[in-house]
Amino acid sequence: MHEYEVFVEEINPCGGENHRKKELIEVEADSPEAYVKAKGRFPIMDTAVNDDGSIVITTGDGKGYMVRYTFSE
């Protein structure tokens, strides 16, 4: 298990980026993907790695609702 600091952003189609809900949490998980698959509401749409090494996983329902998870160790 690894410990991660996760920045979670919930984006809805009505408010978009300007009205997103933000939350910072600490989690223990085997991997970021495993955490999102187990705890996320939507399927994974995209996974990327930032220059600083943080992992960004974007999930969504295909209709505008998205949740973006940014994992840092």
Side-chain angles (χ1 to χ4, degrees):
M1 289 279 204
H2 298 278
E3 289 187 21
Y4 297 98
E5 187 173 80
V6 185
F7 182 58
V8 182
E9 301 168 273
E10 293 186 33
I11 304 163
N12 68 54
C14 297
E17 294 276 339
N18 295 331
H19 295 95
R20 64 183 176 223
K21 294 180 185 176
K22 305 171 200 171
E23 179 181 19
L24 187 61
I25 59 175
E26 291 189 18
V27 301
E28 280 191 16
D30 291 328
S31 71
E33 292 85 1
Y35 176 81
V36 172
K37 285 180 182 177
K39 303 290 185 178
R41 293 187 319 207
F42 304 120
I44 294 175
M45 296 170 47
D46 185 54
T47 302
V49 179
N50 288 333
D51 291 338
D52 65 0
S54 59
I55 298 170
V56 180
I57 298 178
T58 305
T59 67
D61 68 354
K63 298 175 185 172
Y65 287 97
M66 296 183 351
V67 180
R68 184 181 308 137
Y69 302 86
T70 304
F71 289 79
S72 302
E73 283 196 69

